[in-house]
Structures are given as structure tokens and as C-alpha cells.
């Protein structure tokens, strides 16, 4: 019985973390930078955010420099 309960909890944990990570992907474009304030344009996905949400932003990766 303990093995069945443990397996059920592991499956529920995996399912909940996988759904959160997929739901958090939104592509936005920076439209304005004013000091410490950054404004984004997320189009139709903007309704997924509310005031006070904490988000993680990754910086764009630079182009690779190729040698001769």
C-alpha cells in the first residue's frame, strides 16, 4: 500500500510541475525602457499576467563570432 501511495504522489508532483512550466511560456517584445521600468508588448497573452506577478526574463543571446 505504501508503494502505491508513494507512486501516486510522485505522479501528481510530476504532472503539477510540468503543467506549470508549460503554462509560463509567453513571448513578449520590449517596447520601452525608462530607468528601472521596462514595458513589454505581449499581444493577446497579456491577460495571463496581473499586477504584482513576479516573472523571470532571460536576456537575448549575442551572435556567435566565427573565426577564419
Amino acid at each position: 500500500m505504501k508503494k502505491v501511495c508513494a507512486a501516486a504522489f510522485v505522479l501528481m508532483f510530476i504532472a503539477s510541475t510540468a503543467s506549470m512550466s508549460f503554462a509560463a511560456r509567453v513571448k513578449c517584445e520590449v517596447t520601452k525602457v525608462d530607468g528601472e521600468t521596462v514595458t513589454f508588448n505581449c499581444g493577446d497573452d497579456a491577460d495571463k499576467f496581473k499586477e504584482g506577478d513576479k516573472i523571470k526574463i532571460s536576456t537575448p543571446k549575442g551572435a556567435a563570432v566565427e573565426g577564419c
Side-chain angles (χ1 to χ4, degrees), residues 17-35:
T17 56
S19 65
M20 287 189 300
S21 65
F22 288 128
R25 306 250 179 208
V26 176
K27 291 192 177 190
C28 300
E29 179 183 353
V30 176
T31 56
K32 182 180 176 185
V33 178
D34 183 25

Side-chain angles (χ1 to χ4, degrees), residues 8-63:
F9 284 124
V10 168
L11 289 174
M12 289 187 327
F13 176 75
I14 291 171
S16 66
T17 56
S19 65
M20 287 189 300
S21 65
F22 288 128
R25 306 250 179 208
V26 176
K27 291 192 177 190
C28 300
E29 179 183 353
V30 176
T31 56
K32 182 180 176 185
V33 178
D34 183 25
E36 295 181 359
T37 304
V38 180
T39 306
F40 294 97
N41 181 4
C42 298
D44 294 336
D45 293 331
D47 59 349
K48 294 180 181 179
F49 299 106
K50 63 181 182 235
E51 189 174 334
D53 282 349
K54 295 187 186 266
I55 59 172
K56 181 179 178 182
I57 301 169
S58 60
T59 57
K61 297 184 171 122

